[in-house]
Amino acid sequence: MTNRSPRRILSVGSYAEHLRVGALLRLETTGGLLLMAAAAIAIVWANSPAADSYFALRDLRVGPESLHLDLSLGAWAADGLLAVFFFLVGLELKNEFVAGDLRDPRTAMVPMVAAAAGVAVPALIYMLANLGAPETLRGWAIPAATDIAFAVAVLAIVGTHLPSALRLFLLTLAVVDDLIAIVIIAVVYTAELNLAALGLFLVPAAVYTVLVQRFPRWFAENRWAPWAILLPLAFVAWALLHASGIHATIAGVLLGFATPVRRKDPASGPGKGLAMTFEHNYRPLSTGFAVPVFAFFSAGVAVGGWDGLVDAVSSPVALGIIGGLVLGKPLGIVTSTFLLTRLTRANLDPTIRWIDLAGVGLLAGIGFTVSLLVGELSFGLGSDAGDAAKVGILLASVLAALLASLVLVPRNRRYRRATEAERRDADADGIPDAFDAAPHDPTISAERAG
């Protein structure tokens, strides 16, 4: 029997994947900052003397009643604009599993198991906190999701010198986490199913699929074509899925999955597939408009002064969410990854340490966007439980970001010093140009960082 060397997990992946992820992180950083600003404006407005105007705006109903689309602006943001965000999630998921590092089942196993544990443990903590309040158990999925934009924005600020393997793990973990959240939304929060509307949904969805699969290059080269042809099809599909009883954002995910990742005409030379083209073109719409507007309409909660805030935080709903996101997420992620390294022949990539992974686990406790959506699906707008859920989500996300910063900022300093030491060593050897031109050895940096 031949000896096989231990397999590494959380490795840096291919160079092309690293470049793609880096570009994605830069875009998500901007979106995360806009997300925080929109949420802050909503919270201040909802607790100001002009709070009535905020809730009047959020509850203003627009749309054709005959088509069952006379929705409030808050519902349009949650069901409509957030479909754009989930369309990008669908594109990212398909790209990861078709052309990204997750196409290798051995590589995919670690973030998938970690994400599953990062969903199960927070849900369990929430249910334990709400055992005496069965009417609020419906919110068990609220602390299940990680907000990729918010988490990446924090990582970009505090982790400029952290290993790329750690950054890729956070992104992959959040992508798989989103997939699990999508399944939960589709299965758990579908009360009644209109089979006729669901059947009709398949018609525009099928036409969209045939078009993008048959003419991907044409849609990529003619930027007007997706807006003029695919967008109307997507809107009809969204409206029909909304009428079916399934949450309409799932339409965005399914259409994202239908978009081809690989080029079908390799003879025409290298280039991006249609999924990457759409991701590049439409991510600014999601991160710069759709998600911040959703945050603006969803984050506003009137806490009623200090006493109201104390009552909300001490409720089983808020306590379960805070415990699930701040404690459950890192516990599930780190513990499951540790067990995998002990039960298999996998080792951590040499560029990172377990303390680094703990910091990423804390970052995964930032559950803003999808958690707010699941909170609305669980309790509706304006209910006491819904308001308590918002308070819990906001406090937990801020607390998770602060705790992650306390862990990762010192680690970032260590990695920065290790990189500077490598540069000094290279300069002393008289080869500064060679050092600058070639990527440094991450193993040496890790050994120096300790």
Side-chain angles (χ1 to χ4, degrees), residues 434-449:
F435 181 87
D436 291 336
H440 67 278
D441 186 346
T443 307
I444 297 175
S445 293
E447 291 174 351
R448 291 182 185 270

Side-chain angles (χ1 to χ4, degrees), residues 254-344:
L254 296 177
L255 296 181
F257 272 125
T259 306
V261 170
R262 299 186 184 277
R263 298 189 65 174
K264 296 183 179 298
D265 51 349
S268 62
K272 297 183 295 184
L274 187 59
M276 286 295 292
T277 301
F278 281 178
E279 184 178 332
H280 175 78
N281 291 343
Y282 306 132
R283 187 165 292 279
L285 175 63
S286 173
T287 59
F289 179 73
V291 174
V293 170
F294 165 75
F296 172 76
F297 283 115
S298 297
V301 54
V303 296
W306 178 254
D307 291 339
L309 179 61
V310 172
D311 291 340
V313 172
S314 59
S315 70
V317 171
L319 290 176
I321 293 171
I322 295 171
L325 287 173
V326 178
L327 299 177
K329 276 288 184 182
L331 182 62
I333 291 169
V334 176
T335 301
S336 61
T337 306
F338 177 80
L339 290 176
L340 277 177
T341 63
R342 292 298 180 268
L343 299 177
T344 68

Side-chain angles (χ1 to χ4, degrees), residues 149-219:
F150 205 154
V152 167
V154 175
L155 183 63
I157 294 171
V158 305
T160 54
H161 288 77
L162 292 176
S164 59
L166 204 63
R167 296 167 180 267
L168 182 61
F169 179 69
L170 175 61
L171 178 63
T172 307
L173 177 76
V175 167
V176 179
D177 195 290
D178 282 341
L179 176 61
I180 298 173
I182 289 164
V183 174
I184 292 173
I185 291 172
V187 175
V188 177
Y189 295 101
T190 300
E192 297 181 2
L193 192 61
N194 185 328
L195 293 178
L198 182 60
L200 290 174
F201 157 79
L202 297 176
V203 176
V207 174
Y208 174 97
T209 302
V210 170
L211 289 176
V212 296
Q213 293 287 338
R214 186 74 177 83
F215 309 105
R217 184 176 178 182
W218 186 78
F219 281 110

Side-chain angles (χ1 to χ4, degrees), residues 92-104 257 259-262:
E92 179 64 23
L93 282 169
K94 186 171 183 180
N95 191 79
E96 287 292 338
F97 285 103
V98 172
D101 287 340
L102 291 184
R103 67 186 183 277
D104 183 354
F257 272 125
T259 306
V261 170
R262 299 186 184 277

Side-chain angles (χ1 to χ4, degrees), residues 78-96:
D79 294 357
L81 287 180
L82 215 57
V84 179
F85 166 79
F86 277 101
F87 175 70
L88 271 297
V89 170
L91 293 176
E92 179 64 23
L93 282 169
K94 186 171 183 180
N95 191 79
E96 287 292 338

